[in-house]
Each structure stands twice: as structure tokens, then as C-alpha cells.
């Protein structure tokens, strides 16, 4: 039994504490904003919560992914691909017909 207990203790990993917002560390970045200390604290807390939420949700920095679900983004991207393909085909046809006219003239 002591072998099992020893193995369990060896397999335990140290828990890393979550980061804590230190407003004073970022206060100099807001020096040009003409905010009160209370407003700076509130602003930094909001940004901190947004960034923490992005990390928790494993989101990219792209704001579109925050506002639209991935399936909707995929649908829009698929529509863009189809539209680009149609545009490319139209341009190719126009160039071909323009080329034929110049050859005839």
C-alpha cells in the first residue's frame, strides 16, 4: 500500500495559481487617457475580464469569432468562395471575349 501512496504523490502536479490583475503594473499605459484612478481600475478590470474569458474559451483575437458562431463564419466563408469563383469565371469570359474582338479587328 505504501508503494501506491508514493506513486500517487509523485504523479501529483503542482497547481499553478491563476493570474491576478495588478492595476498598478498597467497604470503607466493609461497615463495619456486622463482617467481617474477609479476609472483606470474599472477599465483595466474590464479588459482583464475580456482577456481572461478569451483564454478560458480558447478564442482568437479576431472579433468576428467572438460575435458569430464558427458555423455561421463557415457559411459566410463558403458564400465568399462561391462568389469569388463566379467572379473569376465572369472575368475569364470577359477577357476571352475581349481577346477575340481584338484579334478580329
Amino acid at each position: 500500500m505504501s508503494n501506491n501512496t508514493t506513486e500517487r504523490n509523485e504523479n501529483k502536479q503542482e497547481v499553478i495559481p491563476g493570474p491576478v490583475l495588478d492595476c498598478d503594473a498597467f497604470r503607466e499605459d493609461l497615463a495619456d487617457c486622463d482617467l481617474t484612478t477609479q476609472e483606470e481600475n474599472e477599465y483595466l478590470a474590464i479588459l482583464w475580464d475580456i482577456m481572461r474569458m478569451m483564454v478560458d474559451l480558447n478564442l482568437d483575437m479576431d472579433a468576428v469569432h467572438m460575435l458569430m458562431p464558427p458555423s455561421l463564419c463557415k457559411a459566410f466563408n463558403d458564400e465568399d468562395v462561391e462568389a469569388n469563383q463566379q467572379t473569376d469565371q465572369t472575368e475569364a469570359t470577359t477577357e476571352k471575349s475581349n481577346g477575340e474582338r481584338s484579334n478580329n479587328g
Side-chain angles (χ1 to χ4, degrees):
M1 239 192 198
S2 65
N3 263 352
N4 289 341
T5 305
T6 305
E7 282 182 28
R8 285 187 207 145
N9 287 337
E10 289 176 3
N11 290 335
K12 287 185 181 178
Q13 294 180 352
E14 184 178 331
V15 176
I16 299 171
V20 178
L21 173 60
D22 178 14
C23 291
D24 293 329
F26 302 102
R27 204 167 303 284
E28 68 183 43
D29 295 322
L30 299 174
D32 296 335
C33 295
D34 296 328
L35 299 173
T36 66
T37 303
Q38 184 179 0
E39 290 171 334
E40 288 176 350
N41 290 344
E42 184 178 355
Y43 179 77
L44 290 169
I46 291 169
L47 287 177
W48 184 264
D49 287 341
I50 291 170
M51 294 306 294
R52 187 173 45 89
M53 188 178 0
M54 291 176 72
V55 169
D56 289 344
L57 296 174
N58 195 21
L59 293 177
D60 293 329
M61 291 296 294
D62 187 2
V64 173
H65 292 146
M66 292 174 58
L67 300 174
M68 291 193 309
S71 58
L72 188 56
C73 287
K74 183 182 181 319
F76 281 127
N77 288 336
D78 289 347
E79 288 176 9
D80 287 343
V81 168
E82 289 175 13
N84 287 339
Q85 288 174 348
Q86 290 175 353
T87 302
D88 291 344
Q89 289 174 355
T90 304
E91 288 175 358
T93 304
T94 304
E95 288 174 5
K96 185 178 178 183
S97 63
N98 287 341
E100 289 174 1
R101 287 183 192 151
S102 63
N103 289 340
N104 290 337

